[in-house]
């Protein structure tokens, strides 16, 4: 079941073609939207919301046509924009309730639901204060709240952790993760912070120069063929390298104190080899795990592979 | 290089910095802290925009406040985004180069050089009003570098850059650090800071909470013993063996049944004994790592305390 | 059996969702609620009907005099004379025109920030991500200015009408012009609509309510100054005796070339009066004749249309290039 299906979409701003013959399927669940600046991510989001009319191609979002049913789409989609935005002069509750009413909720329901959503986003008594007095972290939560208030089936988040300090980022990512897993809300997160996406999403879509470059499960993108293993020592030790090579293990030059090795067998077996080598060379092994590319590395690989 | 001695600064009743003493030398140092911890105050003090209310700030032995001599050695890349929007990036950097005292021809060549270094040589002739966030960040860095200062201070420099841009920026900073410059970077994105440096300065509510090397700091956080996650197909067997060791404080079985986690204040001892346990006692271990040996965890532990 | 410990984590909203119609009313309502909380607005509102209040007082006094028997038969009764010469429809004109300054203040209070504040707070990004269209937004803002303005200008007029109809029908209040109420209730919405369009258009040009208000006030006062000049010129021309009649009527019409002027001109034209002395003060008022109705309406409509088109084109969410 796909949340959105896009076929051969072309979007132009005057002479500039932002999306070229773009086709992809956005599955259910939590998906990350990656791509360098100017690749067309924002354009894609705007087109999905029905703001921009495509020059050609079509798209289906939750069964609605993006070219024609813009308003109905915006009723089932919530957008958390990247830039700071709010409606001036209102308290948080007033603002979120108004957002709900604008989405079509009856007035009483909107207020009730605004309180519920603000509670979920972690705003206690502060909800009765004017939004203009809020700190960055609170403003981000309000943006999330106004996107969730009408119970959207798809949540579009644009740089949700922008400007947040480490604790704030933790909390925001937790919120996003818990709303996307198990609550039936599909989420599309656009962000440059790849570890954030790793934390929250299961799949990614990579957009570059207006076209789809890669898509798939994060686990799959991170996997390295051959299952190499990262061994971390307390300090570099040439004796260790020699001992391991002597056992027929392929060992790469270290990054700081981490060595990537490739050997046949299961991790249980390989660890015995590593421990033997460590004993022989008096090295202290501080880590032994299956090597994975970080999402960032995988992403950079995708970008450079296509240049 | 940069010395703060009991430096404090307050704004009315609000405290910015409270009795901070530290030294910042060559290389990349990360300035960390929650929002409102005093990072911007500290940067502004070092760049001479404000004076400490009490205490001392010295850059190369001189007070930076309103001191053009010191400014020659400082480059500042602030967080805010105010430019002359109708000018092009090149014109902006050129103008600032002239302000630094270069002649017209020198300024021109230096501008070109620095624009190439930050990767904006192609795009610098368009008006700034049309620039994306990433392009603006690069222009900011260009103007901070153009007079080849010995100290560069950057406030949230990676904001708005895409992963490629980030990588380039981090590499550029590493190169500058290798040239012997002092680089102070303030950022919230901890996993990136980790890639830039191991030496940190952590501020909390205006006070200096921690300085120094990451790994050294980790060892000092007594309240949170080191956590070591062990992957194993027979976690309970491994647990039984490990719980008998004197330095193991805590053993927790992962409900998924694929591993366990131990806590210890003596990780070194554990790692030394591990080969023996695996080889001689056939402990069924298929992997291990320390989940809280990173900057994010250290930050969290230090700040929540 | 439901669990005794409630699950307070996020739950989806499955309640009713209205189809996307009438969103403009939501925007207008929110705007009005916000404006109602401003105390200075109530002050202006209270003051805006001052002519009507004063006139009611004057009428009441004269009514008492008129009711009392004269000192001796045949003696002149100033009260009766007063009621003889009073032109009822002009009272509405005066009520409207003497309140113009306050209506302007009210217009600025409720309208100057209407789109300008949204520009500053980037609120359009929130609005446009909901199932509303630009039309809803502009209409909502317009209505949020139009409706209060209409109410504020109508209520005193209606109260006065009621008072007059009940107490002074013997003096020809109703008979002098049976359609008076209808004319007033047509003129008020038309002028309110023009004013609302202008302020919404001006507001959309700025990012600060204050600047928008200052811009509007600037045009208001400069054009007023101009029209006072026209009035002076007109006097000169009419008392000078000679003068080209066409010049005289051109100048007379230019008297209405200001924000007030358009309002007052349309009001005069619809009511069919040239104006007279206020409060029934005796004498022949040097009142500039009313302008022709249809051209005034067309000009008013054109100005409103231009302002609304400006607002329409200025309403767009933030775009990031590159």
């Amino acid at each position: 079941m796909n949340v959105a299906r896009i076929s051969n979409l072309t979007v132009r701003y005057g002479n500039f073609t932002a999306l070229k013959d773009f086709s992809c399927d956005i599955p259910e669940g939590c998906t990350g939207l990656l791509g360098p600046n100017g690749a067309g991510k924002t354009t894609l989001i705007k087109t999905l919301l029905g703001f921009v009319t495509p020059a050609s191609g079509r798209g289906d979002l939750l069964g609605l046509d993006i070219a024609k049913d813009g308003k109905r789409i915006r009723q089932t989609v919530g957008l958390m924009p990247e830039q700071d935005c709010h409606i001036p002069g209102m308290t948080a509750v007033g603002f979120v309730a108004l957002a709900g009413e604008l989405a079509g909720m009856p007035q009483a329901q909107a207020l009730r639901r605004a309180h519920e959503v603000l509670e979920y986003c972690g705003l206690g008594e502060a909800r009765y204060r004017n939004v203009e007095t809020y700190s960055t972290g609170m403003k981000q939560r309000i943006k999330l709240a106004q996107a969730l208030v009408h119970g959207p089936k798809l949540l579009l988040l644009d740089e949700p952790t922008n400007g947040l300090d480490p604790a704030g980022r933790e909390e925001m990512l937790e919120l996003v993760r818990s709303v996307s897993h198990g609550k039936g809300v599909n989420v599309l997160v656009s962000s440059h912070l790849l570890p954030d996406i790793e934390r929250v999403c299961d799949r990614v879509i990579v957009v570059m120069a207006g076209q789809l470059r890669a898509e798939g499960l994060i686990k799959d993108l991170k996997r390295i063929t051959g299952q190499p293993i990262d061994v971390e020592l307390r300090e570099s030790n040439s004796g260790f390298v020699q001992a391991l090579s002597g056992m027929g293990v392929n060992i790469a030059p270290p990054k700081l104190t981490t060595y990537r090795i490739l050997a046949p067998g299961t991790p249980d077996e390989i660890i015995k080899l590593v421990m033997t080598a460590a004993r022989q060379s008096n090295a202290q092994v501080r880590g032994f795990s299956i090597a994975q590319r970080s999402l960032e590395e995988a992403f950079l690989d995708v970008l450079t592979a296509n240049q | 290089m940069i010395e703060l001695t009991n430096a404090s600064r307050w704004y009315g009743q609000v405290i910015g910095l409270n009795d901070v003493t530290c030294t910042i030398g060559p290389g990349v140092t990360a300035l960390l802290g929650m929002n409102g911890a005093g990072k911007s105050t500290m940067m502004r003090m070092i760049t001479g925009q404000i004076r400490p209310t009490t205490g001392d700030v010295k850059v190369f032995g001189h007070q930076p406040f309103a001191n053009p001599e010191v400014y020659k050695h400082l480059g500042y890349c602030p967080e805010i985004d105010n430019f002359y929007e109708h000018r092009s990036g090149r014109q902006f950097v050129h103008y600032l180069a002239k302000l630094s005292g270069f002649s017209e021809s020198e300024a021109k060549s230096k501008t070109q050089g620095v624009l190439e270094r930050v990767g904006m040589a192609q795009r610098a002739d368009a008006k700034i009003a049309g620039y994306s966030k990433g392009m603006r960040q690069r222009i900011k860095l260009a103007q901070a570098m153009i007079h080849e200062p010995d100290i560069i201070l950057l406030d949230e420099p990676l904001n708005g850059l895409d992963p490629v841009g980030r990588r380039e920026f981090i590499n550029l900073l590493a190169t500058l650090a290798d040239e012997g410059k002092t680089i102070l970077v303030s950022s919230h994105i901890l996993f990136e800071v980790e890639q830039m440096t191991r030496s940190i300065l952590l501020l909390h509510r205006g006070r200096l909470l921690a300085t120094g090397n990451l790994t050294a700091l980790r060892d000092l956080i007594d309240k949170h013993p080191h956590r070591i996650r062990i992957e194993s197909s027979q976690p309970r067997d491994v647990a039984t063996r490990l719980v008998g060791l004197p330095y193991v404080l805590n053993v927790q079985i992962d409900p998924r049944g694929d591993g366990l986690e131990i806590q210890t204040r003596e990780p070194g001892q554990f790692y030394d004994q591990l080969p023996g346990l695996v080889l001689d006692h056939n402990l069924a271990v298929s992997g291990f790592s320390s989940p809280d040996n990173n900057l994010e965890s250290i930050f969290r532990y230090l700040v929540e305390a | 059996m439901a669990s005794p410990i409630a699950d307070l984590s996020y739950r989806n909203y499955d309640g009713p969702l209205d189809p996307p119609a009438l969103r403009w009313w939501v925007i207008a309502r929110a705007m009005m609620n916000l404006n109602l909380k401003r105390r200075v607005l109530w002050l202006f509102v209270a003051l805006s009907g001052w002519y009507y209040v004063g006139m009611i007082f004057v009428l009441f006094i004269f009514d008492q005099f008129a009711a009392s028997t004269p000192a001796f038969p045949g003696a002149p009764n100033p009260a009766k004379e007063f009621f003889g010469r009073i032109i009822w429809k002009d009272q509405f004109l005066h009520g409207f025109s003497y309140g113009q300054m306050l209506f302007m203040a009210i217009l600025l209070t409720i309208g100057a920030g209407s789109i300008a504040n949204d520009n500053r707070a980037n609120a359009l990004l929130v609005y446009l991500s909901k199932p509303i269209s630009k039309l809803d937004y502009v209409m909502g803002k317009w209505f949020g200015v139009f409706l209060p303005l209409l109410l504020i200008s109508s209520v005193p007029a209606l109260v006065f009408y009621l008072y007059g109809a009940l107490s002074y029908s013997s003096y020809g209040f109703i008979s002098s012009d049976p359609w008076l109420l209808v004319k007033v209730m047509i003129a008020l919405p038309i002028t309110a609509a023009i004013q609302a369009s202008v302020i919404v258009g001006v507001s959309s040009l700025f990012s600060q309510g204050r600047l928008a208000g200052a811009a509007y006030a600037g045009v208001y006062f400069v054009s007023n100054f101009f029209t006072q000049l026209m009035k002076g010129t007109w006097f000169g021309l009419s008392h000078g005796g000679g003068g080209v009649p066409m010049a005289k009527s051109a100048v007379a019409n230019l008297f209405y070339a200001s924000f007030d002027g358009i309002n007052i001109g349309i009001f005069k034209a619809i009511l069919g009066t040239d104006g007279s002395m206020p409060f029934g003060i005796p004498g022949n008022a040097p009142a500039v004749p009313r302008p022709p109705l249809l051209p005034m309406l067309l000009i008013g409509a054109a100005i409103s249309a231009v302002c609304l088109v400006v607002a329409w084109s200025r309403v767009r969410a933030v775009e990031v290039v590159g």
Side-chain angles (χ1 to χ4, degrees), chain A residues 175-189:
Chain A
L175 280 177
V176 176
R177 191 166 171 87
S178 69
V179 88
S180 62
H181 287 79
K183 302 290 180 186
V185 180
N186 302 298
V187 179
L188 183 66
V189 183

Side-chain angles (χ1 to χ4, degrees), chain C residues 46-130:
Chain C
L47 290 176
S48 66
W50 70 275
Y51 183 83
Y52 289 121
V53 171
M55 196 56 193
I56 288 180
F57 185 65
V58 166
L59 286 171
F60 183 73
I61 299 284
F62 274 99
D63 196 27
Q64 300 300 356
F65 273 128
S68 61
T69 50
F72 48 92
N77 190 334
K80 285 224 162 68
E81 276 180 344
F82 171 81
F83 282 112
R85 67 166 177 268
I86 203 165
I87 304 177
W88 292 110
K89 63 166 82 168
D90 281 352
Q91 303 319 307
F92 289 94
L93 174 63
H94 292 134
F96 183 70
S97 66
Y98 287 118
Q100 282 301 298
M101 193 70 98
L102 287 156
F103 290 141
M104 196 268 277
I106 289 170
L107 188 70
L108 288 187
T109 312
I110 61 179
S114 56
I115 300 187
N117 286 342
D118 279 354
N119 280 339
R120 181 158 51 116
N122 211 358
L124 255 36
L125 209 49
V126 175
Y127 279 114
L128 295 177
S129 67
K130 305 289 170 202

Side-chain angles (χ1 to χ4, degrees), chain A:
Chain A
M1 240 318 287
N2 283 324
V3 163
R5 159 159 269 154
I6 300 171
S7 332
N8 307 102
L9 206 60
T10 303
V11 177
R12 292 202 188 94
Y13 292 129
N15 283 336
F16 174 63
T17 311
L19 286 178
K20 266 185 279 248
D21 208 31
F22 186 90
S23 303
C24 84
D25 288 338
I26 301 179
E28 288 193 325
C30 191
T31 309
L33 183 60
L34 310 179
N37 276 334
K41 297 190 314 259
T42 321
T43 309
L44 180 62
I45 292 182
K46 282 198 202 163
T47 319
L48 285 176
L49 284 172
F51 280 164
V52 179
T53 33
S56 66
R58 56 168 288 119
D60 257 311
L61 190 72
L62 297 164
L64 300 163
D65 187 349
I66 62 178
K68 298 201 210 97
D69 297 323
K71 274 202 198 168
R72 284 177 59 203
I73 287 181
R74 297 203 283 278
Q75 217 168 25
T76 54
V77 172
L79 171 69
M80 177 178 167
E82 177 187 355
Q83 298 96 338
D84 253 349
C85 59
H86 63 272
I87 297 182
M90 306 188 99
T91 59
V93 183
F95 171 49
V96 178
L98 179 63
E101 285 182 61
L102 287 173
M105 298 167 80
Q107 202 174 359
Q109 291 286 333
L111 189 61
R112 180 195 65 76
R113 172 86 179 157
H115 276 285
E116 212 177 280
V117 162
L118 284 170
E119 185 69 47
Y120 171 72
C121 290
L123 277 161
E125 284 303 302
R127 70 183 77 169
Y128 301 110
R129 275 174 29 207
N130 192 318
V131 177
E132 274 140 10
T133 62
Y134 277 6
S135 66
T136 324
M138 290 158 92
K139 283 196 184 142
Q140 294 286 99
R141 290 170 204 248
I142 299 282
K143 280 198 269 177
L144 181 62
Q146 65 84 32
L148 281 175
V149 67
H150 54 292
K153 299 280 178 301
L154 173 64
L155 194 58
L156 294 173
L157 306 176
D158 204 348
E159 298 286 354
T161 57
N162 209 2
L164 295 179
D165 57 22
R169 280 182 60 230
E170 264 306 304
E171 289 167 3
M172 176 60 72
L173 293 174
E174 260 316 298
L175 280 177
V176 176
R177 191 166 171 87
S178 69
V179 88
S180 62
H181 287 79
K183 302 290 180 186
V185 180
N186 302 298
V187 179
L188 183 66
V189 183
S190 166
S191 176
H192 286 316
L193 300 177
L194 298 176
D196 284 0
I197 299 226
E198 256 182 282
R199 178 95 181 263
V200 165
C201 305
D202 307 312
R203 318 177 56 98
V204 288
I205 293 177
V206 180
V207 179
M208 217 181 117
Q211 294 193 301
L212 180 69
R213 284 291 181 217
E215 62 178 317
L217 289 169
I218 292 185
K219 308 205 289 257
D220 291 337
L221 286 172
K222 286 170 65 158
R223 198 171 297 140
I224 311 181
T225 47
Q227 256 208 357
I229 294 190
D230 274 338
V231 177
E232 190 190 331
L233 298 185
R234 186 182 52 194
E235 53 211 1
S236 20
N237 188 319
S238 47
F240 177 77
V241 179
Q242 280 176 345
L244 267 187
S245 322
M247 294 183 224
V249 171
N250 188 323
I251 180 163
K255 255 200 211 148
L256 283 182
T257 54
T258 307
Y259 297 81
R260 191 161 286 187
I261 66 174
L262 198 54
T266 63
D268 286 55
E269 295 160 3
I270 303 176
I271 197 172
K272 295 210 164 81
L273 300 177
V274 168
M275 288 302 166
T276 317
R279 209 182 228 175
Q280 282 176 8
S281 54
N282 245 333
Q284 191 189 78
V285 181
R286 302 196 84 144
F288 180 96
S289 47
I290 298 182
Q292 275 192 327
R293 292 190 295 189
S294 71
L295 186 59
E296 189 152 344
E297 285 167 12
F299 174 69
L300 290 171
D301 285 347
V302 168
L303 286 188
T304 47
N306 285 282
Q307 254 156 14

Side-chain angles (χ1 to χ4, degrees), chain C residues 259-309:
Chain C
F259 286 144
D260 285 7
I262 293 178
N263 281 347
I264 297 175
I266 291 183
F267 211 84
K268 276 189 184 174
I270 290 183
L271 251 50
T273 170
D274 287 341
S276 57
M277 291 297 274
F279 291 115
I281 297 171
N284 240 333
V288 182
R290 64 180 178 278
L293 178 58
L294 193 57
M296 283 304 279
L297 285 178
L298 288 175
I299 292 174
I303 293 178
S304 309
V306 164
C307 291
L308 288 174
V309 165

Side-chain angles (χ1 to χ4, degrees), chain C residues 217-227 258:
Chain C
V219 177
Y220 181 90
F221 286 117
V222 166
S223 59
N224 258 12
F225 179 68
F226 172 74
T227 59
S258 68

